[in-house]
Amino acid sequence: MDKILQTLLEKVADLHGVPEGAYNIRANGQMAGRNTTANIDIVTREDGKGIDVHVKPGTKKESVHIPVILSQTGLNETVCNDFFVGDDADVTIIAGCGIHNGGDMESRHDGIHRFFVGKNAKLKYVEKHYGDGDGKGERVMNPRTEITMDEGSYMEMESVQIKGVDSTKRDTVAHLAAGAKLVVQERLMTHGRQDAESRFDVCLDGENSSANIISRSVARDQSHQAFYSNLQGNSLCAGHTECDAIIMDEAKISSLPEITANHPDAALIHEAAIGKIAGDQIIKLMTLGLTEEEAEAQIVNGFLK
Amino acid sequence: MDKILQTLLEKVADLHGVPEGAYNIRANGQMAGRNTTANIDIVTREDGKGIDVHVKPGTKKESVHIPVILSQTGLNETVCNDFFVGDDADVTIIAGCGIHNGGDMESRHDGIHRFFVGKNAKLKYVEKHYGDGDGKGERVMNPRTEITMDEGSYMEMESVQIKGVDSTKRDTVAHLAAGAKLVVQERLMTHGRQDAESRFDVCLDGENSSANIISRSVARDQSHQAFYSNLQGNSLCAGHTECDAIIMDEAKISSLPEITANHPDAALIHEAAIGKIAGDQIIKLMTLGLTEEEAEAQIVNGFLK
């Protein structure tokens, strides 16, 4: 693996070499390494379009790394991965996609991830997106995440787009059975002429299911962001969406959150706010010796932390 | 005017007889009374489809009543009224629509109201909708309100659907110039198999324009409500939408509020909540001697006040 791919790997999966536990590294459309454990199996799908990850019931404190890195300009791929997390398991799955585009053609990775979270299982899923490279070619990532949560299961999804992705459409669909709980934390920053769209469809189907979706984003320069969510309460359930955005320069942000109560015992709340950094916050930091740019950067970093 | 029409008039315009000041009463598709004042003129439009109301610049503390009442089953009408409120005026316009349907055919009133609010003018606009009657025919009202606010103007819109409207689609569109301020208060209750849809499109075009939209609703029985709003910040501006709903019985409610910042100095906030009446609130009132139904009714009344 060359230096560029290694840098990407570090950015999207915090990996400085080969990870511990189970992993599958995909580099420029090819498998670049795989490891399985006694409890976690990774198999290439029969159609060759992705992998199936099987986590045995009761597996505790194990992790799976499945980074995807691209450094070849013009590469355009769609990958379908399925994750079967057995009953009572407690695992962390770290996905990430890094694209370095040094050429003039579009490089694109579309990932479809399906999660089947077993009864009373706990899953932490981390997804990081990163792009760099001096080429004129666009860096495009369109992740789709489909989540099916069985009774009493818990899933925490952390979705981060750090930098350098020119265009992204992020789609997340979830169905929750009785007692299941989903927590989503999305952090997004766009700059230049980037375009980002994020969509969440969460169905609270089972009794006592709950969801908490928190999106924080910063739009700079001439970038454009759109946030859509649809929280459906179909039983006694609790749902909360929060969407806070900082707007800077000539950016545009739109937020379109929907909550639908199809059941009288559904309790749903949504909050959204779009605004710029308060002037007095910047002035306060400037009196401490920071320049205006440094003050802004510090506030933005704190907001996205 | 017969007893039924008089009751409707009381419900939608709090009128026990002929109002003070300017008025235009429309009963069963015909003009049933009109009065103009030195400052407020009411003229039938040339196409006969409605009225034009002209308020002279500087007119202070005057009111215009324009109730519409229907007691004839099967009547289906569309009325277009324009309101020209002169610069620096300060007036109240009370519109309202009451339908008594004792027959088996649909009775329907669609009203299109356009408001042109002059520079630094103040307008309070009240709109009440009410339906009754034992017939199987539906009572349908679809009001559309188009608002154009000039610099420094202020408009307060109070929209109330009290009872008995089987189907309603309410559409409000507003454009605000510099320094203009719009405040909307919507209160809505649906029961039986009623269907209500409410939509607000507000463009904060001018510098220092602001809007505050507050919707409170209660959905009972098998009724269905949908709330849409789109708040667009196109300059230095402030916008706030709040949508609180109580869901009861087998009702369904959906809320779809959009905020879009097209300018870095736009500050936009949205809040929405759907839920049922908290059990402990009901128990508290029941310990004071109320039945469960009485306790519910009291909480609903307080919420919609």
Side-chain angles (χ1 to χ4, degrees):
Chain A
M1 199 175 288
D2 63 20
K3 193 105 190 155
I4 288 176
L5 288 176
Q6 276 174 23
T7 307
L8 291 175
L9 204 55
E10 201 185 314
K11 289 283 183 189
V12 299
D14 293 319
L15 292 179
H16 298 274
V18 162
E20 273 186 59
Y23 65 85
N24 187 84
I25 302 173
R26 185 182 175 98
N28 288 326
Q30 307 289 330
M31 187 179 64
R34 177 178 296 173
N35 189 44
T36 60
T37 71
N39 295 318
I40 300 174
D41 198 17
I42 302 176
V43 291
T44 303
R45 280 162 57 121
E46 281 183 10
D47 58 11
K49 285 185 178 163
I51 52 172
D52 282 350
V53 176
H54 295 270
V55 176
K56 272 193 193 158
T59 303
K60 300 283 179 196
K61 305 287 169 203
E62 289 202 38
S63 66
V64 189
H65 282 83
I66 47 153
V68 170
I69 44 184
L70 270 76
S71 63
Q72 193 181 312
T73 189
L75 196 71
N76 194 316
E77 60 175 9
T78 300
V79 171
C80 305
N81 298 335
D82 282 353
F83 303 86
F84 303 91
V85 179
D87 295 352
D88 302 302
D90 181 356
V91 293
T92 300
I93 297 174
I94 298 166
C97 179
I99 298 181
H100 173 94
N101 195 347
D104 293 341
M105 282 155 76
E106 179 189 278
S107 294
R108 173 169 169 174
H109 176 81
D110 291 355
I112 301 166
H113 284 183
R114 293 197 299 174
F115 292 90
F116 301 91
V117 189
K119 277 186 189 146
N120 302 311
K122 272 183 78 173
L123 169 63
K124 180 170 180 170
Y125 174 54
V126 182
E127 190 183 66
K128 286 190 184 176
H129 292 163
Y130 172 82
D132 66 16
D134 301 327
K136 280 188 221 140
E138 290 222 314
R139 299 173 295 262
V140 180
M141 296 179 200
N142 297 324
R144 181 174 166 84
T145 309
E146 296 174 14
I147 300 166
T148 307
M149 296 180 72
D150 214 333
E151 286 173 24
S153 64
Y154 175 86
M155 178 167 172
E156 201 182 313
M157 177 172 169
E158 203 184 307
S159 169
V160 183
Q161 182 171 308
I162 317 161
K163 210 187 154 222
V165 178
D166 291 312
S167 172
T168 185
K169 272 193 189 175
R170 310 148 76 77
D171 240 325
T172 304
V173 180
H175 285 269
L176 279 71
K181 183 173 184 174
L182 174 67
V183 176
V184 178
Q185 296 218 21
E186 182 184 51
R187 282 170 291 157
L188 190 65
M189 174 140 87
T190 52
H191 49 95
R193 301 196 164 274
Q194 294 172 0
D195 214 351
E197 193 181 302
S198 202
R199 188 181 290 271
F200 291 93
D201 283 283
V202 177
C203 296
L204 300 166
D205 298 324
E207 200 156 291
N208 285 311
S209 59
S210 65
N212 190 10
I213 299 168
I214 296 166
S215 168
R216 288 192 158 203
S217 69
V218 176
R220 325 181 65 131
D221 306 328
Q222 290 89 40
S223 66
H224 181 255
Q225 292 182 8
F227 175 88
Y228 304 88
S229 69
N230 189 353
L231 207 54
Q232 278 190 44
N234 300 324
S235 65
L236 191 164
C237 62
H240 176 250
T241 326
E242 195 182 313
C243 175
D244 288 323
I246 290 181
I247 185 167
M248 296 169 79
D249 311 314
E250 294 151 65
K252 290 180 184 184
I253 300 179
S254 126
S255 169
L256 210 165
E258 180 169 6
I259 51 178
T260 302
N262 294 319
H263 193 283
D265 292 319
L268 304 173
I269 295 173
H270 168 70
E271 302 163 78
I274 304 175
K276 65 172 185 171
I277 298 170
D280 52 356
Q281 273 192 292
I282 292 178
I283 289 163
K284 198 171 150 191
L285 287 171
M286 285 170 76
T287 60
L288 299 172
L290 274 67
T291 64
E292 195 176 336
E293 288 70 34
E294 287 167 345
E296 268 190 8
Q298 197 157 100
I299 292 165
V300 165
N301 285 342
F303 179 73
L304 291 179
K305 197 162 259 176
Chain B
M1 201 175 285
D2 63 20
K3 192 106 191 152
I4 289 176
L5 288 175
Q6 276 174 23
T7 307
L8 290 175
L9 204 56
E10 199 186 314
K11 289 283 183 189
V12 300
D14 293 318
L15 293 179
H16 297 274
V18 162
E20 275 186 58
Y23 65 84
N24 188 85
I25 301 173
R26 185 182 173 96
N28 288 327
Q30 306 290 327
M31 187 179 61
R34 178 179 295 175
N35 189 45
T36 61
T37 70
N39 294 318
I40 299 175
D41 199 18
I42 302 176
V43 289
T44 302
R45 281 162 57 123
E46 283 183 10
D47 59 9
K49 286 188 176 161
I51 52 172
D52 283 350
V53 176
H54 295 271
V55 177
K56 272 194 192 158
T59 304
K60 301 281 181 200
K61 305 286 170 204
E62 289 202 40
S63 66
V64 189
H65 282 84
I66 47 154
V68 171
I69 43 183
L70 271 77
S71 62
Q72 193 180 310
T73 189
L75 196 72
N76 193 317
E77 60 176 9
T78 300
V79 171
C80 304
N81 298 336
D82 283 354
F83 303 86
F84 303 91
V85 179
D87 297 352
D88 301 304
D90 181 356
V91 292
T92 300
I93 297 174
I94 297 165
C97 180
I99 298 180
H100 172 93
N101 195 345
D104 292 341
M105 282 157 75
E106 180 188 278
S107 293
R108 173 171 168 173
H109 176 82
D110 292 355
I112 301 165
H113 285 183
R114 293 196 299 174
F115 292 91
F116 302 91
V117 189
K119 279 186 187 147
N120 302 312
K122 272 182 79 174
L123 171 62
K124 180 167 181 172
Y125 174 54
V126 180
E127 191 183 64
K128 286 191 184 176
H129 291 163
Y130 172 81
D132 66 17
D134 299 327
K136 280 190 221 139
E138 291 223 313
R139 299 174 294 261
V140 180
M141 296 179 200
N142 297 323
R144 180 175 167 85
T145 309
E146 296 175 12
I147 300 166
T148 307
M149 295 181 73
D150 213 335
E151 286 172 24
S153 63
Y154 174 86
M155 178 168 171
E156 202 182 313
M157 177 173 168
E158 205 184 305
S159 169
V160 182
Q161 183 172 308
I162 317 160
K163 211 185 154 225
V165 179
D166 291 311
S167 170
T168 185
K169 274 196 186 170
R170 310 148 75 79
D171 240 326
T172 303
V173 180
H175 286 270
L176 279 71
K181 183 173 183 174
L182 175 66
V183 176
V184 179
Q185 296 217 22
E186 183 185 51
R187 283 170 291 158
L188 190 65
M189 175 141 87
T190 53
H191 49 97
R193 301 196 163 274
Q194 293 172 359
D195 214 353
E197 193 182 302
S198 203
R199 188 182 291 271
F200 291 94
D201 283 284
V202 177
C203 296
L204 299 165
D205 297 325
E207 202 156 290
N208 285 312
S209 59
S210 65
N212 191 10
I213 299 166
I214 296 167
S215 168
R216 288 192 158 202
S217 69
V218 175
R220 325 182 65 132
D221 305 328
Q222 289 90 42
S223 66
H224 181 255
Q225 291 183 8
F227 175 87
Y228 304 89
S229 70
N230 189 353
L231 207 54
Q232 279 190 41
N234 299 324
S235 66
L236 191 163
C237 63
H240 177 249
T241 327
E242 195 182 313
C243 175
D244 288 323
I246 290 181
I247 185 168
M248 295 169 81
D249 311 314
E250 292 150 65
K252 291 179 185 186
I253 300 179
S254 124
S255 168
L256 210 167
E258 178 167 7
I259 50 179
T260 302
N262 294 319
H263 194 282
D265 292 318
L268 304 173
I269 296 174
H270 169 69
E271 303 163 78
I274 304 173
K276 64 170 185 172
I277 299 169
D280 51 356
Q281 273 191 291
I282 292 179
I283 289 163
K284 199 172 150 191
L285 288 171
M286 284 170 76
T287 59
L288 299 172
L290 274 67
T291 65
E292 195 176 337
E293 289 69 35
E294 288 168 345
E296 266 190 10
Q298 196 158 97
I299 292 165
V300 165
N301 285 342
F303 179 73
L304 290 180
K305 197 161 257 176

